[in-house]
Amino acid sequence: MKFHQRTSEIYIPDTVEGDIAFSRTTHLAVSAHQDDLEIMAAAPILECFQNEQKWFSGVVVTDGRGSPRNGIYEKYDDEEMRRVRFKEQRKAAIVGEYAAQFMLDYPSKEVKSNSTNPVDDLVTILEATQPQFVYTHNLADKHDTHVAVALKVVEAIRRISKENRPKKLFGCEVWRSLDWLPDDEKVLFDVSEQENLQLVLLGVFDSQITGGKRYDLASMARRRANATYFESHEVDLKTGLSFGMDMSILIESDNLDPAEFIQSYIQKFSQDVSNRLKRVR
Ligand SMILES: [Zn+2]
């Protein structure tokens, strides 16, 4: 498999041959940074864990060079930081028993540009893995690089012939939760089980957590909060929920503008708020 960046990496935790690792993939998640996969795609990781029929593969698009650093990592230069973040991502792939972990190693700047190199690489991965389900950042995320990655994913899938495309494309939560989506528009990912594994998957990213951001606690807390605040009239049946946005229509209708697509959801949110006010006034 050939990618544009010479320094890109493919890591296969159980060391089977590439073709075997890729073709067994059923669930593929594509994120901007190391640790985003474990924050946003815990549900498919757990669904595929210890399951011979379902396999999760992850793609991280950026190189981790620009990461904030603190504590024992404070004096690390960009290259050392990149190596640490790659190492952490490999650890997560081992814990989560991923089919394969791709690290495309692009500077954020290139991802946010109109470069088509990341799109080419994603097409290569999609063709080799042929996943049924694809997960990426949602288009209302507030991190530029996240949204840029989501757009590249849509572009890549649109380059593939319709019959070979994934069945579903989901937008997931990292820098902005999806609590604002009207309930009947939310895709619910139950992450009530195996909190132990979820904690480890988040916890291996020490450079970010020690770096001053408790993404581990915050992500677990968001899952709990999503579950509790989802249903106001029922007792908690789930103890962990992640919300997703169904973005599949973007890979079914090639002419649909992603900006128009996300605006339609924002309009639904706006309508939901207005309707409630009218109702109770
Ligand atoms: Zn990120």
Side-chain angles (χ1 to χ4, degrees):
M1 190 174 285
K2 261 195 112 31
F3 296 130
H4 283 286
Q5 298 288 93
R6 235 181 349 97
T7 48
S8 60
E9 182 182 305
I10 302 172
Y11 177 64
I12 300 168
D14 64 0
T15 69
V16 301
E17 255 179 69
D19 289 347
I20 297 169
F22 308 148
S23 63
R24 65 186 169 179
T25 301
T26 51
H27 297 59
L28 181 81
V30 185
S31 76
H33 307 107
Q34 294 79 6
D35 79 2
D36 287 332
L37 295 173
E38 292 68 24
I39 294 172
M40 72 181 193
I45 294 170
L46 294 179
E47 188 180 340
C48 297
F49 187 81
Q50 280 291 302
N51 189 328
E52 285 299 317
Q53 268 70 51
K54 297 177 182 179
W55 288 86
F56 175 89
S57 285
V59 184
V60 175
V61 178
T62 70
D63 56 18
R65 277 196 173 80
S67 312
R69 59 211 71 176
N70 221 318
I72 53 174
Y73 307 96
E74 199 172 348
K75 300 235 154 58
Y76 284 31
D77 63 23
D78 282 358
E79 180 52 31
E80 288 169 319
M81 208 56 205
R82 170 185 170 275
R83 281 205 294 269
V84 164
R85 300 214 64 184
F86 271 49
K87 186 159 73 178
E88 290 170 346
Q89 189 60 61
R90 283 184 223 112
K91 288 184 201 172
I94 294 170
V95 172
E97 301 180 352
Y98 301 176
Q101 174 66 56
F102 303 88
M103 288 184 268
L104 300 181
D105 208 26
Y106 284 97
S108 295
K109 225 165 113 190
E110 180 160 358
V111 179
K112 288 183 279 188
S113 76
N114 56 9
S115 163
T116 54
N117 287 357
V119 181
D120 295 342
D121 290 354
L122 290 173
V123 170
T124 304
I125 293 169
L126 284 160
E127 283 177 342
T129 55
Q130 302 202 359
Q132 292 175 48
F133 306 103
V134 175
Y135 305 78
T136 189
H137 301 285
N138 81 77
L139 290 170
D141 192 287
K142 62 181 171 182
H143 193 304
D144 286 5
T145 318
H146 288 192
V147 176
V149 164
L151 292 174
K152 303 275 188 223
V153 171
V154 171
E155 213 180 315
I157 297 174
R158 284 178 173 178
R159 271 215 221 150
I160 294 169
S161 61
K162 282 218 163 147
E163 63 275 17
N164 291 324
R165 290 181 189 179
K167 275 202 266 194
K168 288 277 176 195
L169 174 67
F170 299 110
C172 306
E173 301 172 298
V174 184
W175 282 102
R176 187 166 278 153
S177 82
L178 289 171
D179 178 65
W180 61 274
L181 281 180
D183 282 352
D184 57 353
E185 297 286 350
K186 289 182 175 99
V187 180
L188 304 180
F189 298 117
D190 185 0
V191 282
S192 303
E193 303 294 323
Q194 288 165 305
E195 285 190 333
N196 54 322
L197 277 178
Q198 297 180 49
L199 279 162
V200 179
L201 285 163
L202 295 161
V204 295
F205 295 93
D206 184 62
S207 69
Q208 298 310 290
I209 294 170
T210 301
K213 297 286 258 180
R214 293 305 304 264
Y215 293 117
D216 52 343
L217 300 181
S219 301
M220 294 305 288
R222 175 187 280 164
R223 291 167 199 172
R224 174 65 72 132
N226 281 349
T228 296
Y229 289 110
F230 181 61
E231 285 279 5
S232 56
H233 298 296
E234 283 174 28
V235 293
D236 292 356
L237 296 173
K238 310 255 187 280
T239 52
L241 270 186
S242 286
F243 296 140
M245 175 185 284
D246 190 347
M247 309 204 300
S248 309
I249 192 163
L250 285 170
I251 58 169
E252 290 155 10
S253 314
D254 290 8
N255 295 324
L256 177 60
D257 178 5
E260 221 172 276
F261 164 82
I262 193 65
Q263 274 305 326
S264 74
Y265 274 98
I266 293 167
Q267 291 312 318
K268 283 176 195 165
F269 173 57
S270 164
Q271 205 58 54
D272 183 63
V273 172
S274 301
N275 290 348
R276 185 163 298 97
L277 278 169
K278 264 189 227 142
R279 211 161 52 230
V280 299
R281 213 166 232 173

